[in-house]
Amino acid sequence: MTTRIRRGFKLIGLSLAIAALTACGGNDDPLPGDTSGDLVAKYIGSWESGCYEDSGASAHLRADFTKASPTGFTGEVVAYAYIGTSCSGPSVKNKKVFTNMVMSHDGTKVVGGVTADKFAGTADQGSAKVLLTVSGNILRIGDPDASKDAQGYPNAFYDKSMSRI
């Protein structure tokens, strides 16, 4: 093979590798919200938690929700872990906490004086009953470790919240 042909193949290989890496990079742009009057509209879009420190490391969550129907949504939740306590620099690990989520509205419930929406859902990681409520741009989530009511929904909110991106 001539040097010219080898260089051509190397350039083609490099171009394909760059294209593959670019395609796998994902899209960090937040999902648009929903301005309709549908029950799930206030939950649609992208949400991010604050930075949480634990044992010299830190992490934050991101949730992306897309409307599937006026009473249901789909999405995923990803946890990003960092070395150090400031959630800065590149994440050293990301874990898809919930993938292929499908959530369906199942009524409402008052918790701590706040009316929350009950959602029954499934994800690749299993099924769950979740409480959600939005106030302005803050999403509060029912604490999965709290005591449960007769239908299996939490009786308290998690002490952390997420903000709309």
Side-chain angles (χ1 to χ4, degrees):
M1 225 187 256
T2 68
T3 303
R4 189 173 177 195
I5 293 173
R6 277 190 295 238
R7 277 192 207 140
F9 278 116
K10 284 182 182 179
L11 286 174
I12 290 170
L14 180 60
S15 298
L16 290 173
I18 290 171
L21 288 172
T22 303
C24 294
N27 185 354
D28 289 336
D29 292 339
L31 296 178
D34 183 344
T35 58
S36 75
D38 292 339
L39 188 126
V40 298
K42 60 189 167 193
Y43 301 108
I44 304 308
S46 295
W47 302 87
E48 190 170 56
S49 73
C51 181
Y52 302 109
E53 300 175 28
D54 185 23
S55 303
S58 57
H60 73 87
L61 296 173
R62 175 167 171 160
D64 293 307
F65 301 143
T66 304
K67 184 165 66 173
S69 72
T71 59
F73 63 90
T74 62
E76 75 175 15
V77 178
V78 179
Y80 297 90
Y82 301 85
I83 295 173
T85 57
S86 64
C87 290
S88 62
S91 65
V92 294
K93 182 178 181 181
N94 63 41
K95 178 183 178 188
K96 292 189 175 183
V97 178
F98 295 110
T99 53
N100 297 314
M101 284 177 36
V102 178
M103 304 298 282
S104 298
H105 192 260
D106 193 31
T108 60
K109 173 181 176 169
V110 176
V111 175
V114 175
T115 300
D117 289 305
K118 300 187 302 185
F119 287 93
T122 61
D124 289 349
Q125 294 75 12
S127 61
K129 294 193 173 187
V130 179
L131 285 180
L132 298 175
T133 188
V134 170
S135 178
N137 286 323
I138 303 298
L139 172 67
R140 293 181 65 198
I141 303 163
D143 185 345
D145 295 327
S147 65
K148 310 282 191 287
D149 65 16
Q151 288 85 37
Y153 288 95
N155 287 320
F157 287 107
Y158 189 60
D159 64 346
K160 312 278 191 275
S161 62
M162 300 181 86
S163 298
R164 186 175 295 279
I165 301 175

